[in-house]
Amino acid sequence: YIGKAKNIRNRVRQYFDRNRHLDAKSKVLVSKIADVECIVTDSEAEALILENILIKQHKPKYNILLKDDKSYPYIRITNEEYPRLFSTRTVIRDGSKYFGPYTDGRYLYSLLKTLRTLFPIRSCDLPLTERTIDDRKYKVCLDYHIKKCEGPCEAIVGRKHYNEHIKLASQILQGKTRDVEKQLESQMSDLAAEMKFEDAAQIRNRLQMLREYSAKQKVMTTELVDRDVVAFARDAHQACTVIFTIRDGKLTGKQQFIASNVLDTPDHEIVQASVERWYSENDFVPDEVHLPLELDNLEFLNDILRSKRGSAVEILVPKIGEKKKLITMAQANAEFILRDLHLEQLKRDEAIPRAVSSLQRDLRLPRPPRRIECFDNSHLQGTDYVSSMVVFVDGRPKKSEYRKYKIKSFTGNDDFRAMQEVVERRYSRLLEEKQTLPDLIIIDGGKGQLSHAYEILSGLGMAKNVPVIGLAKRLEEVFLPGESDSIILPRTSSSLRLIQQLRDEAHRFAITFHRELRSKRTLQTSLTDIPGIGDKTAHKLLTTIGSVDTVAKSTFDELKSAVGEAAARKVFDYYSTSGNEMESDRTADEQDNSYHNNKE
C-alpha cells in the first residue's frame, strides 16, 4: 500500500487504533504489514506527484487502481523552443502539455483545424532550435507559401512572435476564449491605429472564426468562472468518477476514472483518489472545485491546489441550486458510463470464440473450455529436466500466466514422473489458494503421460470436475482417460488447430527454458573449466566470438584479439588437446528435437 500524509506517524497510527472502525480491506492490509518505509518531500504537491508515480509503477494490491481515458486522443503541445501542436494517444511526461481526452474524434479534428486556421503554427516535425535556424539547416515548405505557417525555420518570424501563437492556442484549449478575444481585439485596434489595415484584417478574420467556435460550446452557467465539477457513481463491482471541466462558464471537456474491485472501499476514498490523480497530472487549477460528497483528507487536497494555483481554491459540496444541478448532470454521465461498461462486459462474457465452441462439441465437454492449460516436458538425456505450462483464455494465449518448472523429485529420464510432479505442483497450489481452475487440461503426450497425470488429478479430487485429454503428435490423436480408442479430429477443424496451437506453444516455452538452463551449464562446465579462465573472460569470449563451439574452433589470433595473449593461449591449448569434448554440445539442439518428435 502506498499513501501520503502531512504527519506519517498519525496516519500509520490510525490503522492500529482499536477504537477506529476499519473496513474489510484495511483489516487484511494491517494483518499483512511487515514494514513501513518513508520518503520525505518538500511539499504536498510533490507528495501527490510521487504517490501517483509509485502507484502506477508498483500497482500495489491495497491501493485504489484507477483506469482513465488514456485510450482516447489528447492534443499535445510539445516542450520545444518552437513547439508543435498535434493529436496523440501516447502521454509522455517530458514537459509537454496535454489537453483532453477527447471522446469525439470529429470534434478533435475540427478543433485542430480551427487552431491551425486561427494561428500559423508549424505542422512539420523539424527539430527547430535557435542554433539550427542560425545555421540555415532548413528551408520553408508549402505551408509557408499558402500562408499556413510564417516560416520560423528560416527566421522569418522570431521565437517570441511564434510562441505568442502557441500561448493563445493553449488558452483556447483551456477554455479561456474570452481572454483570447480581448487580446485579438487589442491587437486589431493597435494595427489599425498604425495604419496596418491588411494585418488588422487578418486579426479580424481570426476573431470572427474564434467567436464562431466559442458560440458552439455548450453554456453551463452565466457565471464567467473556471470550475471543475466532480460526480460519482458505483455498482456492485466498479465505480466511476467523472470530472467536468468548465471554463468561462462553458463545458470544455470531461475526464472519467474507473476503479474496479471496490466492494469494501468507501465512496469518499475513491473520489479522493480520482481527484488527486486528476490534479497531479494537470497544471491548470480552476477557481472552484465542486465535489459530490465530503472528503476526509480535504485539508491536504486544499493545500495541494493552493500551492499549484498560487492562490486559494474554493472547494464546495453543493446541496441546492444551479451548482447542485451541475453535479447531478455529471452524475448521470457517470451512471451511463457504468451501464455501458456493464453491457460491454456482458457481451465479452457471452461471446465464445468459434474454436472454443467447436472444441466443446468435438470433445463432448460439459462447458466451453474458455480457459485451457497445457503441459509439456523437455530434457536432454535426463539432464536439465524442465516442464512448461501455457494458458489460453478464449482461444488466445495469456502469457502473464505461463509457468515453467524445474523437475526436483528425481534425476534421470522419466517423462511420466516428470508429468506427475508438475501437475501435482500446479493444482495442489491452485486448490490451496482457491484460485480459478481451468475448463480443460491438455497433456502433451500419449496414453502413458495422460494416465499418470490423471492419477494425480484424481488424488486431488479434480478428475470429476475438470476434463483432461492427451495429445499424441504422431497422428494428432486425442486420448481420453480410461478409453482405449483415440479421437481423430478433422484435419481442417478449428478445434484441432486450437489444440495444436496450445501444444506448439507449450513445446516452444519448454524447450526455450531448457536451452536457457543448458546454456548456463555449458558456460560453467566448458569455458570456466579451462584452468585460468574465469566467468568474466568466459563471458567476454561468448559475447565477442559467439557460442562455445565457435570458441573451440577459433584460431589463436582470433582468441588473442578477443581476450589477450595470455588467456588466448590457455583456451587454444585446452581445445587443441581436448579432441571431441564439444561434440555433445554441438548435437544438443538436434537431440532436443528428436526427443520431442519421438517421445509418444
Side-chain angles (χ1 to χ4, degrees):
Y1 178 80
I2 296 169
K4 65 190 175 314
K6 281 187 173 182
N7 190 318
I8 289 290
R9 182 183 297 275
N10 291 344
R11 176 70 188 277
V12 174
R13 186 185 289 133
Q14 292 175 358
Y15 288 97
F16 300 96
D17 186 353
R18 294 184 179 180
N19 298 321
R20 185 183 180 90
H21 174 72
L22 296 177
D23 57 43
K25 181 194 74 173
S26 298
K27 289 178 181 178
V28 176
L29 185 154
V30 171
S31 70
K32 296 184 179 295
I33 290 176
D35 197 4
V36 178
E37 295 182 7
C38 301
I39 300 176
V40 179
T41 62
D42 289 333
S43 66
E44 292 88 349
E46 286 186 16
L48 175 64
I49 293 169
L50 179 60
E51 180 194 39
N52 185 32
I53 291 171
L54 293 176
I55 288 174
K56 285 183 175 179
Q57 178 181 350
H58 297 290
K59 294 182 172 56
K61 181 176 180 180
Y62 297 101
N63 277 94
I64 299 170
L65 301 178
L66 300 172
K67 294 181 291 183
D68 56 15
D69 290 335
K70 288 295 186 289
S71 60
Y72 291 115
Y74 288 73
I75 290 179
R76 177 185 178 188
I77 296 180
T78 59
N79 181 26
E80 298 176 274
E81 293 183 23
Y82 293 82
R84 293 172 291 139
L85 185 149
F86 54 87
S87 65
T88 180
R89 292 178 184 269
T90 304
V91 177
I92 304 171
R93 297 298 171 188
D94 61 350
S96 299
K97 292 183 179 180
Y98 293 87
F99 302 89
Y102 296 93
T103 55
D104 188 340
R106 288 176 296 179
Y107 174 74
L108 172 64
Y109 174 78
S110 174
L111 177 55
L112 283 172
K113 185 178 180 181
T114 300
L115 290 174
R116 293 193 182 281
T117 306
L118 281 170
F119 310 109
I121 298 172
R122 69 188 183 104
S123 61
C124 63
D125 57 0
L126 298 176
L128 293 187
T129 63
E130 297 285 5
R131 183 173 180 178
T132 57
I133 293 172
D134 291 342
D135 292 343
R136 299 187 177 278
K137 287 193 172 184
Y138 308 113
K139 298 289 185 183
V140 293
C141 62
L142 179 63
D143 278 1
Y144 171 76
H145 297 289
I146 61 176
K147 301 189 182 305
K148 284 185 174 278
C149 178
E150 294 180 324
C153 55
E154 286 195 33
I156 297 172
V157 294
R159 180 179 174 184
K160 182 179 178 181
H161 176 86
Y162 179 86
N163 281 297
E164 279 296 320
H165 295 319
I166 295 293
K167 181 181 176 182
L168 293 174
S170 177
Q171 286 180 293
I172 291 175
L173 290 170
Q174 291 173 8
K176 312 296 287 182
T177 53
R178 283 182 65 253
D179 293 345
V180 178
E181 283 182 27
K182 290 179 180 178
Q183 293 180 57
L184 291 178
E185 286 173 354
S186 176
Q187 289 179 23
M188 183 175 64
S189 299
D190 292 343
L191 289 169
E194 296 172 8
M195 303 294 186
K196 297 180 179 178
F197 298 116
E198 290 185 3
D199 294 337
Q202 288 183 353
I203 300 295
R204 179 202 61 199
N205 295 338
R206 291 180 188 174
L207 188 57
Q208 289 175 349
M209 183 175 293
L210 178 60
R211 285 171 176 163
E212 290 174 6
Y213 164 75
S214 181
K216 294 177 183 177
Q217 292 181 306
K218 183 173 182 179
V219 177
M220 305 297 294
T221 173
T222 55
E223 299 176 273
L224 300 179
V225 297
D226 300 331
R227 60 168 61 114
D228 287 348
V229 177
V230 183
F232 173 78
R234 70 185 301 166
D235 57 21
H237 303 289
Q238 296 187 109
C240 176
T241 304
V242 167
I243 301 175
F244 278 175
T245 55
I246 299 175
R247 303 294 179 258
D248 288 339
K250 297 176 181 178
L251 179 63
T252 62
K254 179 192 75 171
Q255 172 73 309
Q256 64 194 46
F257 295 97
I258 307 297
S260 302
N261 302 321
V262 291
L263 183 63
D264 298 320
T265 307
D267 294 353
H268 65 84
E269 284 190 20
I270 302 171
V271 174
Q272 178 100 25
S274 302
V275 171
E276 289 179 353
R277 169 84 172 268
W278 171 246
Y279 289 113
S280 70
E281 296 181 347
N282 286 274
D283 298 326
F284 183 80
V285 177
D287 306 317
E288 299 176 5
V289 176
H290 295 177
L291 299 174
L293 45 80
E294 297 285 350
L295 303 182
D296 282 356
N297 204 6
L298 190 59
E299 181 185 354
F300 194 91
L301 177 62
N302 221 329
D303 291 340
I304 291 169
L305 297 183
R306 187 187 300 113
S307 65
K308 290 195 77 171
R309 179 178 168 82
S311 59
V313 177
E314 191 175 8
I315 301 179
L316 307 171
V317 182
K319 302 296 183 183
I320 57 174
E322 292 297 322
K323 294 177 180 178
K324 177 61 177 177
K325 289 181 180 178
L326 291 176
I327 295 278
T328 303
M329 188 179 76
Q331 183 176 350
N333 278 263
E335 291 170 352
F336 175 78
I337 291 168
L338 280 183
R339 287 196 301 271
D340 199 34
L341 288 172
H342 182 64
L343 290 174
E344 285 184 10
Q345 186 63 45
L346 287 176
K347 288 179 182 178
R348 285 196 296 268
D349 292 343
E350 293 172 359
I352 300 175
R354 178 185 172 190
V356 174
S357 301
S358 298
L359 191 59
Q360 180 190 12
R361 180 197 64 223
D362 293 341
L363 298 182
R364 300 184 293 279
L365 300 175
R367 58 182 178 274
R370 306 194 68 165
R371 180 184 178 91
I372 307 174
E373 298 183 356
C374 181
F375 294 85
D376 189 20
N377 297 328
S378 181
H379 68 92
L380 177 61
Q381 297 178 348
T383 61
D384 300 317
Y385 220 130
V386 298
S387 291
S388 70
M389 183 210 70
V390 300
V391 179
F392 274 38
V393 176
D394 284 340
R396 296 190 175 188
K398 192 170 185 180
K399 295 190 177 182
S400 61
E401 297 193 25
Y402 284 15
R403 296 293 181 267
K404 49 192 178 185
Y405 302 88
K406 291 182 183 178
I407 301 303
K408 302 176 180 178
S409 61
F410 67 93
T411 57
N413 185 354
D414 192 332
D415 203 36
F416 299 154
R417 287 179 63 188
M419 190 61 72
Q420 280 188 318
E421 177 186 333
V422 69
V423 169
E424 182 174 21
R425 285 168 61 183
R426 168 63 178 172
Y427 295 113
S428 60
R429 180 170 182 175
L430 250 62
L431 292 171
E432 181 182 345
E433 297 179 355
K434 297 181 180 180
Q435 295 184 30
T436 304
L437 295 174
D439 299 311
L440 176 65
I441 299 171
I442 298 178
I443 305 298
D444 185 18
K447 295 180 182 179
Q449 286 92 338
L450 176 62
S451 62
H452 282 75
Y454 187 75
E455 182 182 332
I456 296 297
L457 294 172
S458 298
L460 294 173
M462 290 177 55
K464 293 182 180 180
N465 301 323
V466 181
V468 56
I469 64 171
L471 179 64
K473 185 176 181 180
R474 186 167 55 89
L475 296 175
E476 305 290 11
E477 296 174 286
V478 176
F479 292 97
L480 300 178
E483 296 188 14
S484 57
D485 295 332
S486 63
I487 299 175
I488 305 295
L489 299 176
R491 291 284 180 181
T492 58
S493 68
S494 57
S495 53
L496 178 61
R497 285 198 299 271
L498 177 56
I499 293 177
Q500 289 172 332
Q501 287 175 358
L502 276 148
R503 189 265 320 281
D504 294 343
E505 182 70 352
H507 170 78
R508 180 198 66 79
F509 196 51
I511 202 170
T512 300
F513 183 41
H514 168 70
R515 285 172 176 168
E516 288 175 4
L517 295 181
R518 194 181 68 222
S519 296
K520 293 178 182 177
R521 180 175 56 80
T522 302
L523 171 63
Q524 187 66 29
T525 58
S526 296
L527 293 181
T528 55
D529 275 356
I530 302 173
I533 300 299
D535 290 339
K536 289 185 179 180
T537 305
H539 183 265
K540 193 172 183 180
L541 282 166
L542 289 179
T543 54
T544 305
I545 297 178
S547 65
V548 177
D549 188 22
T550 309
V551 171
K553 295 177 180 178
S554 298
T555 64
F556 175 75
D557 290 336
E558 290 172 337
L559 296 170
K560 180 180 175 181
S561 64
V563 294
E565 185 173 355
R569 176 58 62 189
K570 295 173 184 176
V571 175
F572 185 76
D573 291 346
Y574 177 82
Y575 285 116
S576 296
T577 58
S578 294
N580 297 319
E581 281 188 13
M582 297 302 297
E583 186 62 30
S584 62
D585 289 321
R586 281 195 290 271
T587 59
D589 288 353
E590 288 79 1
Q591 293 185 49
D592 270 339
N593 293 325
S594 175
Y595 159 71
H596 279 280
N597 290 333
N598 297 305
K599 68 178 181 179
E600 290 87 359

